[in-house]
Amino acid sequence: MDFFWNMLLWAGLTVLLPVLVKTVLNSGSEQYGLLESMTSIGIIIGSFFVGKIKLKEDWLIKSVVITIGIHGLLFSFIGLIKNIWLICILLILIGFIVSPALIYKTTFYQKAFDEESKGALFTIAGSMTSSSYPLGIMVTSILATFRNGIAIPYVFLFYGLIIVILSIIVYRNVLLKSK
């Protein structure tokens, strides 16, 4: 799920956001710069809140999966909104929502795996992340050029819904394993 999350949503946003600003919002570099910073602002704010919350160990992975699913859902709406300020709010909200996933994912790895396995796990996870990002940029770039960017809102919708579906499947599997 982490591989597709990086490939579709994080790498996808890198390609889709400037095209969205130019073709859908008919705006320029100032608006793009504004939107580009909004997710980071949300992550910073969300990280302060996440630092105050102490989750039980069995909720670490559940919260990661839930917040990634919500990220997918919110990501779907980006392409449907035509107002730059609403997109700003949505991107801040996305950053706020994903901060638990970014923090608790690592915490889960540290608590769930023994010392010998952690090295291999972090190497594999890092390699997967490193490979998913350029792959996502390549695939999204191909889709973004389709019909001169007209398909951009649908790419946002499609990518977000894929992550929502994956999150539901993973969450269901996590629940089945915890019983």
Side-chain angles (χ1 to χ4, degrees), residues 2-3 6 105 109 113 116-132:
D2 193 36
F3 177 85
N6 272 311
K105 180 177 63 161
Y109 289 160
F113 295 91
E116 293 177 12
S117 301
K118 284 181 190 173
L121 173 73
F122 283 114
T123 300
I124 291 169
S127 297
M128 295 293 283
T129 299
S130 296
S131 63
S132 67

Side-chain angles (χ1 to χ4, degrees), residues 6 9-10 18 24 37 44 77 79 155 179:
N6 272 311
L9 301 194
W10 292 113
V24 176
S37 64
I44 292 166
F77 294 129
V155 177
K179 289 183 180 182

Side-chain angles (χ1 to χ4, degrees), residues 5 9 65-78 94 97-98 156-165 167:
W5 184 41
L9 301 194
V65 174
I66 290 168
T67 56
I68 290 174
I70 294 170
H71 182 193
L73 184 64
L74 296 175
F75 189 87
S76 294
F77 294 129
I78 294 173
I94 284 172
I97 294 293
V98 300
F156 274 104
L157 187 64
F158 180 67
Y159 278 10
L161 292 178
I162 287 173
I163 296 303
V164 169
I165 291 166
S167 297

Side-chain angles (χ1 to χ4, degrees), residues 51-139:
K52 303 288 183 198
I53 299 170
K54 301 295 181 220
L55 284 182
K56 293 181 181 177
E57 194 168 321
D58 63 327
W59 266 96
L60 282 175
I61 193 66
K62 291 176 187 172
S63 66
V64 169
V65 174
I66 290 168
T67 56
I68 290 174
I70 294 170
H71 182 193
L73 184 64
L74 296 175
F75 189 87
S76 294
F77 294 129
I78 294 173
L80 304 175
I81 298 172
K82 306 285 190 260
N83 181 298
I84 196 152
W85 296 109
L86 289 178
I87 295 173
C88 282
I89 293 168
L90 187 58
L91 289 169
I92 291 171
L93 185 59
I94 284 172
F96 187 84
I97 294 293
V98 300
S99 59
L102 297 170
I103 293 169
Y104 292 146
K105 180 177 63 161
T106 304
T107 305
F108 169 74
Y109 289 160
Q110 290 171 338
K111 290 188 177 211
F113 295 91
D114 60 35
E115 291 300 320
E116 293 177 12
S117 301
K118 284 181 190 173
L121 173 73
F122 283 114
T123 300
I124 291 169
S127 297
M128 295 293 283
T129 299
S130 296
S131 63
S132 67
Y133 205 80
L135 186 60
I137 288 174
M138 180 188 71
V139 170

Side-chain angles (χ1 to χ4, degrees), residues 39-53:
T39 305
S40 297
I41 290 170
I43 290 171
I44 292 166
I45 295 168
S47 296
F48 286 116
F49 285 100
V50 170
K52 303 288 183 198
I53 299 170

